[in-house]
Amino acid sequence: MNLKMQFLTPNKFSDIARKEPVIVEKTGRKNIVLIAFEEYERLIRIEDAYWAEKAAGAEAAGYEGSTESIWQQSRH
């Protein structure tokens, strides 16, 4: 969405961001993206699932975790 900031109130930003991301530019460069809170939560769930899958894969491959690795090294 390409709108001039001087015409938008905080409520208008909120209304637009509920429907689609709002990209805010500063000095011609993309600076901030405003999204609906529900979209933020959805993205966090996707990220959490991704890292949980990576951790499960590492554990299945034999990674013990940083605490266990340090403990094992200190015993030798």
Side-chain angles (χ1 to χ4, degrees):
M1 172 147 303
N2 188 7
L3 298 171
K4 295 291 181 192
M5 296 265 293
Q6 69 242 29
F7 300 115
L8 296 177
T9 65
N11 285 340
K12 190 64 176 171
F13 273 122
S14 183
D15 293 343
I16 295 168
R18 279 187 180 79
K19 298 174 188 160
E20 61 182 299
V22 176
I23 299 170
V24 178
E25 294 182 358
K26 183 176 181 179
T27 62
R29 298 182 68 174
K30 293 175 180 161
N31 190 21
I32 299 171
V33 177
L34 304 172
I35 58 174
F37 186 73
E38 294 79 11
E39 179 65 4
Y40 169 77
E41 287 180 316
R42 186 184 75 81
L43 294 171
I44 292 297
R45 283 192 305 272
I46 290 170
E47 184 179 28
D48 287 348
Y50 171 82
W51 287 114
E53 184 178 322
K54 288 288 190 183
E59 188 176 333
Y63 179 72
E64 297 176 335
S66 59
T67 304
E68 292 84 359
S69 295
I70 292 169
W71 183 77
Q72 289 289 343
Q73 290 174 2
S74 69
R75 290 185 50 202
H76 296 273

